[in-house]
Amino acid sequence: MTDEVKPGRKREAVRKCPICGRESWRIAYGMMTSDAWAEHPKTEFAGCCVIVEERISPATGKVETGVPEWACQNPECQHRWW
């Protein structure tokens, strides 16, 4: 992966999972064309169904609700967070 950003296109977003440390990808919601899938191979396409999830905040220990923006790609972890 290169750090160069082509005009009109964002760099693929990849983060480390806060639970297992493996690669995590941004989640995209909505209907995506096959061209979008090809352009963004490191994006998890979740379709049109947006589901609000609960989690315990690691910072405060309180229950929070939100829509996941990131998904761990480790099949044993699959942690999702916002």
Side-chain angles (χ1 to χ4, degrees), residues 4-32:
E4 181 182 331
V5 178
K6 295 180 181 178
R9 189 170 163 206
K10 292 182 185 177
R11 179 177 16 188
E12 293 297 325
V14 176
R15 289 188 175 175
K16 286 187 176 182
C17 174
I19 303 298
C20 73
R22 300 276 298 269
E23 187 172 89
S24 298
W25 298 351
R26 186 174 290 283
I27 300 172
Y29 296 95
M31 294 181 64
M32 302 294 172

Side-chain angles (χ1 to χ4, degrees), residues 35-70:
D35 291 342
W37 284 66
E39 272 188 50
H40 305 283
K42 291 200 171 190
T43 300
E44 184 170 303
F45 293 97
C48 295
C49 186
V50 178
I51 299 173
V52 175
E53 296 182 9
E54 287 187 349
R55 71 170 183 174
I56 297 177
S57 170
T60 64
K62 295 181 180 180
V63 175
E64 299 177 336
T65 58
V67 176
E69 294 178 12
W70 293 92

